[in-house]
Amino acid sequence: MACVILLKFLLLLALEATLQSHHLGPTSHLRYSRFLDPSSVLFLRWDFDLDAEVIVFELQVRTAGWVGVGITNRYTTVGGDLVVGGVLPDGNVYFSDQHLLDEDTLVEDGSQDAELLGLTEDAAYTTMRFSRPFRSCDPHDQDITSDTMRVLAAYGLDDTLKLRREQTFVKSIFLLQIFHPDDLEFPADTMIHDLEITDFLIPEVDTTYACTFLPLPIVSEKHHIFKFEPKLLEHNETMVHHILVYACGNASALPTGISECYGFDPAFSLCSQIIVGWAVGGLSYQFPDEVGISIGTPLDPQWIRLEIHYSNFHNLPGVYDSSGIRLYYTAQLREYDMGVLQLGVLTFPIHFLPPGAESFMSYGLCKTEKFEEMNGAPVADMKVVNYLLHTHLAGRALKAVQYRSGRQLRTICKDDAYDFNLQEIRDLPHLVEIKPGDELLIECNYQTLDRDSMTFGGTSTLNEMCLVFLFYYPRNNISSCLGYPDITHVVQELGEEAAVSPMENLMVMDNVEWTPENIKIAEKACKEAQQTVMLKTIDELIENTTGWIPDIIPTLRGPCSESTGGKVEPQDQTPAGFRAAAGALSSSNTAALRSMPLAALLLLQGTLPWLLAVLQTAV
């Protein structure tokens, strides 16, 4: 009898697990959404299953014609994939996985890798929902990755499948967000504090870094900041490049007023530990439930430096701005205090890019072996939850790689399709643990084909940066860990006579004839040169060490998903092989089966009822 009761209990558990499994079906809630066009005609919702590697799109368009959504690359829509569908006047639906043969011609793929989940048309909208694998075996389908995705969307006013430029849009989106859906809840006691520059007259120059020092919320006990969002004046949005909030060590003597951050008064560049930041294209951000930025204790900063980078390329006169950052904070404490570690290439004075480069790599090394000494107390393992990538206009890709005991451990984060106009904090799918003694390497890839003179590291948008910000817990006092190469070695490898100072050596390189061969020599020399690693704390303590750039072992692509219909293009039969679809089951259904407990699988296969009957007979 006990066996029967136990098995019935397992049966209930199986049913419960089946009901609770996350299935992205025809009516399931989709967590993420964006408008894809300036006029808010095309509205995209989406969601994904990381384990099954399946994404669901729902496109809603104000039209009675066809609609389409897919992925394209950075430079052209030609070759981009587009899943299209619509409802004919007689009520019949059409749906197809296609690609762009040229800028206005669609051709159906040989392999149909999208699965229709719903297609409706009413008096106002045509709405199409479908699923597709992250990576199909069709070379006409663009992979869905954690990189910046260029989402291609289009529609027609009738059911004639022809692209028109005025009805075709491309928008950069991070499709594989993790913890940041659109409908996160706030604690009941949420309070708001604004950090802003008021009525600032933007100078009539290309680049201005305006800084001021402001107090954080005054609270009598510990609170956590759990969300922030930009405060932007609508007509000034195109002029605000980034907004950063730096925590000040409480021993700092801070100036008053507003001034150029990196101008004649060095006091306005005090405070270097970033706590929150926004950059062009970003939205609001709410931290994961377990972490927050601590305020209100003796160890927490009381003041911050607010830095706003303005890009007034048209030299417009008389423009006043009151931008800033809005903080949301609560007395309902999270489990951990968050910190931010800045990594990458030291911006001044060594960073350089030659002109005319199809690709040029820069490297910044961080060695954590002195973290504990500089922190003034033991440093716990740093658990990274989020990251922010940052270059200027020449940046094409970034990655952060972790090494331990001389061995590459993992790529912490990367973006091989970086878009300057979309810079947001992104979430990691899994916690990354950094231990004292680990090495961290930042690699930035640039393209300067449109430039005929050297590009140097600097604050202007036309200068360059190579930075990665890691958001981690528990917080320590290290604010940045930046590397730069021995520039003398680079000059000598180029066959030039080295000067005494780094700045003079940069001037020497400015006179180099930058042929493709010399570009590669300089890139190789930067990687092979000894790196100086500069560490800084929240209290502006600085210490240097040295190291060498390790090799980066590339990450292999996973297997593609073979479609259940159509053909697989033979040229994509890579050594990684296929992950074949299971019969008539959708890939999301297959994932649900893989994640079910044994009891649920037995139930579906008819084994558990048979086993119960046998045991009852035996009893």
Side-chain angles (χ1 to χ4, degrees), residues 185-193 223-224 226-227 286 327-332 334:
E185 295 182 355
F186 286 9
D189 68 339
T190 295
M191 292 163 278
I192 291 174
H193 184 80
H223 286 61
H224 269 142
F226 67 91
K227 177 182 176 176
Q286 187 165 330
L327 304 177
Y328 294 79
Y329 63 103
T330 175
Q332 297 182 34
R334 273 79 189 300

Side-chain angles (χ1 to χ4, degrees), residues 111-130:
S111 176
Q112 293 295 298
D113 301 291
E115 179 183 344
L116 180 63
L117 302 176
L119 221 170
T120 60
E121 181 183 302
D122 57 27
Y125 300 101
T126 297
T127 304
M128 176 177 68
R129 180 185 282 222
F130 65 92

Side-chain angles (χ1 to χ4, degrees), residues 267-282:
F268 277 88
S269 63
L270 290 173
C271 311
S272 60
Q273 187 171 58
I274 291 176
I275 55 174
V276 297
W278 171 89
V280 59

Side-chain angles (χ1 to χ4, degrees), residues 29-34 36 44-48 55-58 173-177 182:
H29 171 69
L30 304 182
R31 294 175 293 170
Y32 308 102
S33 61
R34 293 287 187 281
L36 301 180
L44 181 69
R45 295 185 181 91
W46 77 95
D47 208 338
F48 53 87
I55 190 165
V56 171
F57 291 110
E58 181 179 278
I173 300 178
F174 303 137
L175 287 176
L176 299 188
Q177 303 178 81
D182 302 326

Side-chain angles (χ1 to χ4, degrees), residues 262 333 419 482 601:
Y262 308 103
L333 298 181
D419 185 348
L482 304 169
L601 289 173

Side-chain angles (χ1 to χ4, degrees), residues 5-20:
I5 294 173
L6 176 61
L7 283 170
K8 287 182 177 179
F9 176 69
L10 290 173
L11 175 59
L12 290 174
L13 287 179
L15 290 171
E16 182 182 7
T18 303
L19 292 172
Q20 291 181 353

Side-chain angles (χ1 to χ4, degrees), residues 325-559:
I325 291 282
R326 170 164 288 178
L327 304 177
Y328 294 79
Y329 63 103
T330 175
Q332 297 182 34
L333 298 181
R334 273 79 189 300
E335 188 174 357
Y336 302 105
D337 295 339
M338 173 167 280
V340 182
L341 177 64
Q342 180 180 352
L343 305 169
V345 180
L346 186 69
T347 302
F348 315 106
I350 303 301
H351 196 193
F352 75 93
L353 307 176
E358 174 71 36
S359 171
F360 187 83
M361 300 289 194
S362 293
Y363 299 92
L365 179 66
C366 170
K367 299 179 71 174
T368 68
E369 60 190 11
K370 291 191 176 183
F371 274 22
E372 189 164 298
E373 174 187 335
M374 295 193 68
N375 188 55
V379 173
D381 294 346
M382 302 165 61
K383 296 176 173 59
V384 183
V385 292
N386 323 95
Y387 63 98
L388 175 68
L389 309 178
H390 181 67
T391 75
H392 289 177
L393 296 172
R396 294 295 181 267
L398 302 89
K399 68 175 58 173
V401 185
Q402 180 183 11
Y403 300 82
R404 184 172 297 160
S405 302
R407 183 177 64 87
Q408 181 173 322
L409 201 59
R410 62 170 64 87
T411 296
I412 298 175
C413 56
K414 72 171 187 66
D415 192 337
D416 291 329
Y418 177 80
D419 185 348
F420 169 81
N421 294 306
L422 179 60
Q423 300 183 45
E424 283 188 302
I425 294 179
R426 313 190 209 182
D427 305 303
L428 291 171
H430 308 287
L431 285 177
V432 170
E433 192 172 71
I434 298 173
K435 293 182 175 294
D438 287 356
E439 292 190 355
L440 307 170
L441 178 63
I442 306 303
E443 176 191 81
C444 292
N445 189 2
Y446 300 93
Q447 187 183 91
T448 59
L449 291 174
D450 58 342
R451 307 188 183 195
D452 55 13
S453 60
M454 291 274 285
T455 299
F456 295 105
T459 56
S460 169
T461 307
L462 298 177
N463 294 135
E464 264 309 331
M465 293 185 176
C466 173
L467 299 173
V468 173
F469 302 91
L470 298 183
F471 295 75
Y472 69 92
Y473 66 84
R475 183 187 69 189
N476 60 51
N477 290 325
I478 309 301
S479 61
S480 63
C481 185
L482 304 169
Y484 60 93
D486 177 4
I487 202 70
T488 300
H489 173 77
V490 179
V491 169
Q492 291 172 341
E493 289 298 300
L494 285 166
E496 303 288 336
E497 184 176 349
V500 176
S501 73
M503 291 303 296
E504 289 176 320
N505 279 323
L506 287 178
M507 294 174 63
V508 169
M509 286 200 296
D510 203 19
N511 297 320
V512 170
E513 181 184 356
W514 286 109
T515 63
E517 181 183 7
N518 278 338
I519 290 171
K520 289 303 176 186
I521 290 173
E523 181 183 70
K524 183 172 182 287
C526 285
K527 185 178 180 183
E528 293 177 348
Q530 186 178 57
Q531 283 249 325
T532 297
V533 181
M534 189 184 81
L535 295 87
K536 185 183 284 190
T537 71
I538 188 174
D539 296 315
E540 307 297 312
L541 298 175
I542 297 175
E543 186 166 336
N544 290 346
T545 185
T546 59
W548 303 91
I549 298 297
D551 289 331
I552 297 176
I553 302 171
T555 303
L556 297 177
R557 296 172 70 192

